Amino acid sequence: MKTSNKLKIFNDPIYGFIRIPSTLVFDLIADPYFQRLRRISQMGLSYLVYPGAHHTRFHHALGCMYLMQKSIQVLRFKGVEITQDEEDGLLIAILLHDIGHGPFSHAMEHSIVEGVSHEFISLQFMEELNQRFNGSLTEAISIFTGNHSKKFLNQLVSSQLDMDRLDYLKRDSFYTGVAEGNTNAERLITMLNVVDGNLVIEEKGIYSVEKFLMARRFMYWQVYLHKTAVVAERVLISILKRARFLIEKGESLNCSDALKYFLSNHIDINNFNSKILAKFAKLDDVDILAALKEWQFSDDFVLSSLCEMIIDRKLLHIKVKKEPVTEGKFLSQFNKVKEYYKLTDEETSYFVFRGELKNKAYDRQHQTINILRKNGKITDVAKLSDHLNLNALSKTVTKYYMCYPKEGV
């Protein structure tokens, strides 16, 4: 099945023209599985905080592929061997690395499917596409799963300094208007090298690495873990939980067939097969938004109130503190709301809840960012940096929050 490679370039607001490198990549982009990413927002409900954050997973995937093309050029120029098959594999692996995201990105991993990560679903999509494209994704799958003999190939796709992170920090900072998150992706890529099969950054790129890690920390607190975005995502998860509860009780809720299927059935890692994958591929942000618009008129007080919160952006109040919320404080708030709205304990738990936010900009236990020094030695960036912050950035910072309605307290 060979299609003409008509659309040779995309015009991207960040990098300018992105060239499609091959007919295979063109055909993968044209596939309905990939086109679905046009209808999956990159940043979930963050547009409720940053009105410009309406970009999609489709934009991000193409941006990652562009950065990967640049990385391959740089590494080959420095004498690192990357065969044509490996190049194709890298470009396809990074293009499809997020294809398994559900509607509104991360919120769905807790509510549509249970404990099934988007990485797992991405792999299912890749295996399905591999059958459709006669095995031409085999190399990409071996890179994506970390089974390839050249470790640095997987590190370009998934590590502390991969093309995914380089693109989403730059892209999300652009669309939110949060300038502090902007990183110099091109400069970092120019500093890439490979030593003993592992990806390293040359010493003169150390300040760019520091800026990248600082930008990442900043974007987490300012954008990804922004308290309004956190409460909106928690409300969305609660809506789907409530809808599932009502459907199980036999109530009829209007929504798309795909969404109804996932709310009516318990889907986890043990029964996620190709039939489920085909149904999952029909789900996107449109299903969820259409359901919220419909359910805000539900007779169920909990469901209609939660849907109105997102539709009208009248969200729960959220308090974020450095110390955990005490049991006494939580119960006092819980009982006030329960009394005010005349709710049961179970119903009140949708409106009053607590949780924690964790931020770790540099995860040294998982994998380090290694610097190639002028004398040929390899050192972890945190040891080399004269920036005291880097050690601090490797520690997990935890904040605690409690959410409750503004009325009735």
Side-chain angles (χ1 to χ4, degrees):
M1 188 186 82
K2 198 166 165 80
T3 24
S4 73
N5 195 349
K6 275 189 213 137
L7 184 61
K8 295 270 198 325
I9 51 171
F10 282 95
N11 194 348
D12 183 73
I14 293 169
Y15 309 123
F17 292 120
I18 295 179
R19 186 178 51 82
I20 295 180
S22 67
T23 305
L24 172 59
V25 168
F26 176 85
D27 292 343
L28 284 168
I29 291 171
D31 190 274
Y33 280 172
F34 190 81
Q35 288 293 315
R36 165 183 164 272
L37 295 182
R38 289 182 186 272
R39 302 184 301 278
I40 304 277
S41 63
Q42 169 73 8
M43 294 180 63
L45 291 161
S46 291
Y47 64 82
L48 293 173
V49 184
Y50 297 102
H54 272 290
H55 55 303
T56 65
R57 293 266 158 200
F58 185 87
H59 291 110
H60 167 60
L62 291 175
C64 290
M65 184 186 74
Y66 170 83
L67 293 180
M68 189 65 85
Q69 287 173 309
K70 293 277 175 208
S71 301
I72 292 167
Q73 273 173 8
V74 165
L75 292 173
R76 277 187 176 151
F77 178 74
K78 292 178 183 177
V80 177
E81 193 208 8
I82 298 172
T83 66
Q84 187 55 52
D85 279 356
E86 286 162 358
E87 176 181 346
D88 295 344
L90 275 172
L91 294 175
I92 292 167
I94 199 68
L95 186 72
L96 303 181
H97 77 282
D98 268 350
I99 198 170
H101 267 291
F104 291 106
S105 298
H106 295 283
M108 297 301 102
E109 289 175 32
H110 308 287
S111 31
I112 291 284
V113 287
E114 204 161 305
V116 185
S117 71
H118 69 271
E119 291 91 351
F120 173 84
I121 301 174
S122 291
L123 185 57
Q124 307 308 305
F125 272 123
M126 286 164 89
E127 283 172 347
E128 191 79 18
L129 288 166
N130 198 25
Q131 287 183 349
R132 226 184 273 177
F133 285 86
N134 306 319
S136 49
L137 277 75
T138 306
E139 188 86 351
I141 289 170
S142 110
I143 292 170
F144 181 76
T145 53
N147 293 324
H148 198 284
S149 57
K150 290 185 179 175
K151 263 164 78 181
F152 76 90
L153 297 178
N154 172 260
Q155 288 161 2
L156 284 166
V157 175
S158 175
S159 66
Q160 294 276 305
L161 196 61
D162 55 30
M163 298 308 115
D164 172 36
R165 289 184 185 191
L166 286 182
D167 181 78
Y168 77 64
L169 284 176
K170 199 170 179 63
R171 189 167 298 277
D172 296 349
S173 125
F174 175 86
Y175 280 99
T176 54
V178 177
E180 292 87 346
N182 192 6
T183 55
N184 192 341
E186 308 266 348
R187 163 94 180 149
L188 279 162
I189 286 171
T190 309
M191 297 298 141
L192 287 176
N193 212 329
V194 172
V195 175
D196 298 334
N198 285 300
L199 206 58
V200 295
I201 294 275
E202 290 160 3
E203 189 166 9
K204 53 184 183 283
I206 190 165
Y207 296 115
S208 302
V209 175
E210 287 180 357
K211 185 171 184 306
F212 162 79
L213 291 171
M214 291 299 289
R216 184 170 148 77
R217 174 179 177 273
F218 195 90
M219 286 294 282
Y220 267 84
W221 285 133
Q222 180 98 354
V223 179
Y224 309 127
L225 298 177
H226 186 288
K227 60 181 191 171
T228 308
V230 166
V231 75
E233 186 169 292
R234 282 294 307 261
V235 168
L236 181 57
I237 291 166
S238 294
I239 288 170
L240 294 161
K241 183 180 156 197
R242 185 66 179 177
R244 184 186 287 276
F245 169 79
L246 293 171
I247 286 169
E248 281 170 1
K249 268 180 44 185
E251 293 198 25
S252 167
L253 287 180
N254 264 352
C255 60
S256 71
D257 289 345
L259 182 56
K260 188 161 276 178
Y261 179 84
F262 283 95
L263 293 175
S264 310
N265 294 283
H266 177 81
I267 306 298
D268 60 23
I269 205 138
N270 301 313
N271 61 358
F272 199 102
N273 54 29
S274 55
K275 178 175 155 260
I276 304 289
L277 186 74
K279 288 197 183 291
F280 186 85
K282 293 190 169 69
L283 267 184
D284 55 50
D285 291 6
V286 179
D287 300 73
I288 304 295
L289 285 173
L292 299 192
K293 286 176 72 180
E294 189 79 24
W295 297 345
Q296 66 182 325
F297 305 112
S298 162
D299 294 335
D300 182 72
F301 172 76
V302 174
L303 186 64
S304 63
S305 307
L306 294 172
C307 289
E308 273 175 11
M309 284 178 194
I310 290 184
I311 297 287
D312 300 334
R313 200 197 178 278
K314 291 183 175 155
L315 297 160
L316 294 169
H317 191 57
I318 178 170
K319 268 206 170 125
V320 180
K321 293 276 169 68
K322 286 183 179 167
E323 302 299 321
V325 181
T326 64
E327 195 64 25
K329 226 178 203 159
F330 177 73
L331 284 175
S332 150
Q333 204 76 59
F334 190 91
N335 290 327
K336 276 184 201 166
V337 171
K338 179 183 169 184
E339 191 111 333
Y340 184 84
Y341 290 107
K342 307 283 182 279
L343 302 173
T344 65
D345 279 358
E346 196 264 339
E347 289 166 340
T348 312
S349 68
Y350 286 95
F351 298 102
V352 185
F353 49 83
R354 53 191 161 169
E356 49 185 52
L357 307 171
K358 288 183 184 295
N359 186 359
K360 187 182 204 169
Y362 180 38
D363 188 356
R364 287 166 75 183
Q365 290 154 333
H366 175 243
Q367 203 174 38
T368 54
I369 296 176
N370 289 322
I371 302 291
L372 171 61
R373 296 168 66 182
K374 292 189 179 72
N375 61 11
K377 287 188 175 152
I378 307 286
T379 313
D380 173 5
V381 66
K383 290 195 179 123
L384 257 194
S385 165
D386 55 6
H387 226 285
L388 292 169
N389 286 339
L390 282 204
N391 277 320
L393 289 181
S394 352
K395 293 187 173 70
T396 303
V397 180
T398 307
K399 291 184 182 178
Y400 304 87
Y401 66 87
M402 177 163 79
C403 300
Y404 51 88
K406 287 169 185 155
E407 304 82 24
V409 286

